[in-house]
Amino acid sequence: MTRYLEYTLRYLMIIFAFVFAILNKSMSLLNFSVLLLYIVFFHLTNYEKFNVNIKIVLILLEILLGIYLARGNIFIITIYMVNPILDILKELNIPMALLYLLSIVVIAIYYLRLNFDIYKIFSFIIVFIFSVTLGYALRQNKKIKIMENKIDELILDKKELINEHRNKDILLEEIYTNKERNRISRDIHDSVGHRLSAIIIQLSAIEKIAKIDGDKAAELSGNLRNYATEALNDIRRVLRRIKPQNVGKDELITLIQEIINQNSKLTGLDIKFKFSSKRYSVPNNIEEVFLNAVREFISNSIKHGKASLIYINLFYKEDEIILSMRDNGIGSEKIVKGVGLTALEERIKENKGSLTIETGKQKGFSVNIAFYRGKYDKSNVS
């Protein structure tokens, strides 16, 4: 809107001066050429790529051409000074603008002194004030546009930074994914792959021995079953490593129940499982310790304790989670830690948990494992 007002005023002043010159029969070819130059100069002054020094010269030429075209007529000088005043306030810095405006006032006073007329003085003051006001508005409008351009540049820079960070995140995610794939591949190859290869070799050996010594083949078959169970546990460990942390508060209960169902079907063992009504999710490493503990306890209860009944209780307390297991087996006078129990104890210590084992002759076997929730998120208790 301001820009339309600016150019409307500029061309109205030029048309008025042009009509005035024709009516006074003073529009010669030279004057017409000078008027065209005057119009060209105020257009050039608004050309953004010119620096301040060039604009100072162009505005000076505007003033000189205007004075020439006015031929000493203060009223026409006032008309021709509208364009330079607008350019002065729009394009120049404050000191230079004040100097130019002062020069225009001095020129006006000089011509008014030669031909004093109150009407011309009043006309000059009105046009001068109006031009200065509009020029100031154009100056502020230009500042606003500069600020808007800077804001647009900042927004573009921000978008570029966001895209750059997004691309970095995508790249880091790809790197992490590839790293995890390589690690999982290595784990499967080192643990599961070797175990399966050994199982295949032993199966071939059992097939040959079975034709000669059935008892020996049965013994090897039992060992192979245990070895295959370990391979299955290795697979489970690998899969649990890639499982998202804390997928749900019932995950541990579901996995323990699966172990119980599998063993009950295979052995006919009576396993009673209870858990707290208040539950929360736990980290994968804690889940893995509990699951290994349940497998180890059930296996020992069948193999060594000759048990027919097992109680498994999972207590979700505010500050700790406790897995309690006991059987009705024959027990033992002293605790003998085999490979499985020793490995379990080491894992519990690694995760800063506690292990309590109790047994006695004909008193069965009981195990209590506890982990404190110092690092758990207590907000997901239900």
Side-chain angles (χ1 to χ4, degrees):
M1 185 65 184
T2 309
R3 187 173 182 84
Y4 293 137
L5 180 60
E6 172 194 357
Y7 278 93
T8 301
L9 180 63
R10 285 181 186 272
Y11 286 107
L12 279 176
M13 294 297 100
I14 291 172
I15 291 169
F16 184 85
F18 185 77
V19 171
F20 186 84
I22 291 175
L23 292 175
N24 286 276
K25 298 180 181 180
S26 60
M27 181 54 71
S28 63
L29 181 60
L30 177 61
N31 289 348
F32 184 74
S33 301
V34 172
L35 180 60
L36 289 178
L37 283 174
Y38 175 83
I39 296 171
V40 169
F41 283 146
F42 85 71
H43 276 289
L44 289 175
T45 305
N46 289 273
Y47 187 57
E48 297 294 336
K49 292 187 178 180
F50 284 158
N51 59 37
V52 176
N53 294 328
I54 294 175
K55 290 182 178 182
I56 288 173
V57 174
L58 291 172
I59 293 170
L60 179 60
L61 290 172
E62 277 185 72
I63 295 171
L64 294 175
L65 292 172
I67 293 171
Y68 171 81
L69 291 169
R71 300 298 182 99
N73 188 321
I74 186 60
F75 183 75
I76 301 301
I77 288 176
T78 303
I79 299 300
Y80 277 116
M81 288 304 108
V82 170
N83 284 331
I85 291 172
L86 296 179
D87 291 332
I88 286 166
L89 289 166
K90 186 176 166 184
E91 303 295 339
L92 303 184
N93 55 41
I94 296 297
M96 187 60 67
L98 291 175
L99 178 62
Y100 266 56
L101 290 175
L102 182 60
S103 301
I104 291 173
V105 172
V106 169
I107 293 168
I109 291 172
Y110 173 76
Y111 282 106
L112 285 169
R113 186 180 60 82
L114 295 177
N115 187 11
F116 185 82
D117 186 335
I118 191 66
Y119 172 74
K120 292 178 180 179
I121 294 173
F122 182 76
S123 299
F124 172 76
I125 292 171
I126 293 297
V127 173
F128 183 81
I129 292 173
F130 180 79
S131 302
V132 169
T133 303
L134 180 59
Y136 179 77
L138 293 172
R139 186 185 191 91
Q140 295 303 112
N141 189 57
K142 186 176 181 180
K143 286 183 179 179
I144 291 171
K145 285 184 177 179
I146 291 172
M147 291 178 65
E148 287 176 349
N149 290 334
K150 287 183 178 179
I151 291 171
D152 290 339
E153 289 176 2
L154 288 172
I155 291 172
L156 287 174
D157 290 342
K158 184 179 178 180
K159 287 181 179 179
E160 288 178 1
L161 285 172
I162 291 171
N163 290 332
E164 185 178 342
H165 281 298
R166 187 181 290 115
N167 292 334
K168 285 183 179 178
D169 290 340
I170 292 171
L171 180 61
L172 289 173
E173 186 177 351
E174 289 178 356
I175 293 172
Y176 178 77
T177 301
N178 290 332
K179 183 179 178 181
E180 282 298 294
R181 285 174 178 171
N182 291 334
R183 183 182 64 79
I184 294 166
S185 175
R186 185 176 61 252
D187 287 348
I188 293 174
H189 177 270
D190 293 345
S191 59
V192 181
H194 289 307
R195 288 185 183 276
L196 290 176
S197 298
I199 289 171
I200 291 170
I201 294 171
Q202 290 186 43
L203 283 172
S204 299
I206 291 171
E207 185 180 3
K208 294 177 181 178
I209 292 173
K211 297 176 181 179
I212 304 170
D213 189 344
D215 293 337
K216 183 65 175 178
E219 182 184 349
L220 290 174
S221 178
N223 294 335
L224 184 58
R225 182 193 62 206
N226 294 334
Y227 196 75
T229 302
E230 291 177 5
L232 180 61
N233 291 337
D234 285 341
I235 293 173
R236 285 171 175 160
R237 273 194 291 273
V238 172
L239 293 176
R240 289 183 64 76
R241 282 198 202 106
I242 63 176
K243 186 190 72 174
Q245 290 286 334
N246 300 335
V247 294
K249 61 181 183 296
D250 295 327
E251 179 74 8
L252 178 58
I253 293 170
T254 303
L255 293 172
I256 291 175
Q257 191 64 59
E258 286 179 2
I259 295 171
I260 291 171
N261 293 341
Q262 290 170 2
N263 281 277
S264 295
K265 287 179 181 179
L266 291 173
T267 63
L269 186 65
D270 185 10
I271 304 175
K272 300 187 182 299
F273 178 40
K274 293 182 179 181
F275 48 86
S276 306
S277 58
K278 178 175 67 177
R279 303 182 302 283
Y280 44 78
S281 57
V282 297
N284 289 345
N285 55 326
I286 304 300
E287 281 189 2
E288 189 173 340
V289 172
F290 278 149
L291 296 175
N292 286 334
V294 171
R295 294 189 191 100
E296 184 68 20
F297 188 85
I298 293 174
S299 177
N300 287 337
S301 295
I302 297 170
K303 191 184 300 182
H304 305 296
K306 312 299 182 183
S308 60
L309 176 63
I310 294 176
Y311 295 95
I312 299 176
N313 297 306
L314 189 61
F315 301 102
Y316 290 85
K317 294 188 176 182
E318 186 68 24
D319 296 319
E320 62 180 343
I321 180 169
I322 301 171
L323 176 66
S324 175
M325 298 178 288
R326 62 186 177 88
D327 64 27
N328 65 346
I330 60 176
S332 175
E333 291 182 356
K334 62 177 182 178
I335 299 171
V336 179
K337 296 179 182 179
V339 176
L341 191 57
T342 302
L344 177 63
E345 188 176 24
E346 289 175 355
R347 290 198 175 200
I348 293 171
K349 287 181 179 179
E350 285 174 5
N351 290 280
K352 299 180 180 179
S354 63
L355 172 66
T356 304
I357 302 173
E358 294 180 358
T359 187
K361 195 71 173 177
Q362 300 301 324
K363 291 183 178 180
F365 203 84
S366 67
V367 171
N368 288 286
I369 303 169
F371 289 99
Y372 292 95
R373 298 183 64 209
K375 297 182 180 180
Y376 292 171
D377 177 13
K378 298 182 182 181
S379 64
N380 57 357
V381 176
S382 64

